[in-house]
Every structure is written in structure tokens, then in C-alpha cells.
Amino acid sequence: MDVAFTLYPGMTALDLVGPYEALANQPEVTAHFVAASPDPVRCDAGLVVTPTTTFDEMTAADVIVVPGGSGWVGALDDGAVAAWLRRVHPAATWTTSVCTGALLLARAGILDGRPATTHWAVHEELASLGVEVRADRVVVDGPVITAAGVSAGIDMALTLVGLIWGDERAEFTQLVLEYDPRPPYRAGSPETAPAEVVARARAVLGER
């Protein structure tokens, strides 16, 4: 099973690495890092990832994972990611996104007529692209799965493992990852975070 992890400048590392850890360790999976060119790609916080193939070379994949990140605007403007998604999505078994990666799916026309989720800070932007935006952490609609912000990519990947290989495999994967979130603060969403923290986050994310 070929799983294509989509790379572009300014993506968020955890959007990529969270799903990668859950999916790439499945024995049936061959993981590919695919980008516009073979040059290393820098994430928004500085981590550098080296592609293993390019958009021109990889013409099909069973599963597509599109991370988000502060570089989503540049990726939208560049158009290379969306163009590749239009080519490979029709034959893929699953097409997925994490965080603002949903906006790239929308630009490619993959979310037309579908419900989807994304990072809470860009719900309006996703809605402006004609998408029925939901606040769920993971939304499954046919062969398309979208996840909310950043850490929700792990939830998305575990959901996908369950859909492909069954609940027991997903539970095994969760246990091996020791994915048992018990955060020290209740500030993981705009509904639970203090108002001043939400305001600061909106300002910082707006600048990005």
C-alpha cells in the first residue's frame, strides 16, 4: 500500500509526523514523501524533510496525506499541490488532510459538496471555498477524511487504520504510540481556553 505524504514549504511538522508514525509503521505500507522537487522542504518551525519522490514522478497512491501549516497560503498561491491532488485523488482509496491541509483539498475541488473540518482559526476561510465546515476533530465522508488542527492528525490516522485494518489494529497502534492524551491545561480549543489566550492566538495566527 503506497501512502503519499505531501510536502510543501511552511507545513507544520506534527501535521506530517503524527500521521506518519501511525501509518508508516503498518507492515503493508510503503511511505513516500512527495514534493514539487527533490530539494529539502523546510517546515514552519524549521524542521527539514527530504522528499523521496516528486509530484511528476508519483502518479498514483493508495492513501494521500496533506498536512497543514502556516505555509498553506503560499501553497494555495503556488498551485502545485492542488494540481497534483487533482491528478492523483480520483484513483486513490483515501485522501486525507490535517489542519489547513483541508484548504488545499478544497482548492483541488476534492471537498466540493462534502463536509470537512480544519483548524479552528480558518473555519471561515474553508467555508469561503464552498465547504460545509464542521467543528468535529475528524470528519469522514466517503473516501475523504479531514482532521482539525495539528494534533488531530493522529486521531485521523488512527481512524484510518481502523477503517482499513479494523479496530483491533487501530487499538494496537494507539497502544504502541501510547497515545493517551492527558494535557496539563484545558486550553486546547477556543471553547475551553481563556479569552485572552484565544485573542492572542488569533492575532499570532492571523499574522502568519
Side-chain angles (χ1 to χ4, degrees), residues 7 81 84 120 128 130 132 160 168 193 207:
L7 309 183
V81 173
W84 178 72
W120 59 265
S128 73
E132 176 193 335
L160 184 57
E168 184 176 350
E207 290 173 359

Side-chain angles (χ1 to χ4, degrees), residues 148-175:
V150 194
S151 62
I154 300 173
D155 300 60
M156 179 277 291
L158 289 172
T159 298
L160 184 57
V161 170
L163 289 168
I164 296 173
W165 294 289
D167 293 340
E168 184 176 350
R169 177 79 73 89
E171 290 169 344
F172 173 82
T173 301
Q174 181 180 5
L175 178 60

